[in-house]
Amino acid sequence: MPEDHFGEDVAAHYDDPSDEMFQPAAIGPVVDVLAELAGDGAALELGIGTGRVALPLAQRGVEVHGIDLSTAMVARMRAKPGGDEIPVAIGDFATARAEGRFSLAYLVFNTINNLTTQDAQVACFENVAAHLEPGGQFVIEVGVPQLQRLPPGETVRPFALTPTHLGFDEFDVARQGLISHHYELIDGVWRSDSVPFRYVWPSELDLMARIAGMTLVERWAGWRREPFTSESTSHVSVWRRV
Ligand SMILES: C[S@@+](CC[C@H](N)C(=O)[O-])C[C@H]1O[C@@H](n2cnc3c(N)ncnc32)[C@H](O)[C@@H]1O
């Protein structure tokens, strides 16, 4: 089982209404796309967390299930209205099995990068394919690796610099790895946290999909279906089980 980086300490502060990712303007377009793709079928969220996306999607009438490693994160979802009606399998989304067959599986908020080896990321695609009905679709939202912003010879890039949050990504280019270091002022106390990731290229994801019997049907720069270009810093990609 992979290490759980979303224990009680993180779960307690994860939901942050002041963060743009938690605001209706950000969540609305996500739910619009996912509800349309799910159609009349059920949806499976890998890394369902505190239900940031799953709960509003369920409120749209979609049957939502989840997989997550962190009992602390899922407990936060359970405490919200409707949160105890969503079936969740506790386990690694690269291998854990959820009951049922799904028209849609989705993995948002860069969470594919939490799988820190290529083998685990491929296994995740294979696990998704095993949950999808034929023609079912898999959606990933993830950043484009920011290597163009890393000067030659440097390994560290700041990504947050506010009075309450300092964040630095430390790249290991040979391994395609990065560690995100966070220093945050929470309730008057500075806390540090370092989480390992494996960054992954869009073309590499397409190959993983192909290994798992899926093919790319859409790639947007965001949830409003903006065109994906060389300048895009993230993408929302949709593959269909062949
Ligand atoms: C950044 S949070 C995203 C939560 C939610 N999807 C959202 O959009 O707010 C990542 C979630 O994925 C879970 N997670 C990370 N790696 C995992 C793994 N290998 N298997 C299952 N869950 C995992 C974490 O416990 C956490 O709840």
Side-chain angles (χ1 to χ4, degrees), residues 2 4 6 14 45 47-49 52-53 68-70 73 91-93 108-109 111 114-115:
D4 177 6
F6 290 81
Y14 181 82
E45 178 165 0
I48 192 167
R52 182 182 68 92
V53 173
D68 206 291
L69 207 52
S70 165
M73 291 288 276
D92 176 7
F93 56 56
V108 298
F109 212 167
T111 304
N114 282 76
L115 298 173

Side-chain angles (χ1 to χ4, degrees), residues 11-29:
H13 304 285
Y14 181 82
D15 288 324
D16 177 1
S18 69
D19 186 312
E20 70 174 306
M21 290 297 276
F22 291 83
Q23 288 169 11
I27 295 174

Side-chain angles (χ1 to χ4, degrees), residues 130-148:
H131 283 85
L132 288 178
E133 35 189 58
Q137 302 188 92
F138 181 33
V139 178
I140 281 187
E141 173 197 33
V142 66
V144 175
Q146 294 293 290
L147 290 195
Q148 282 181 328

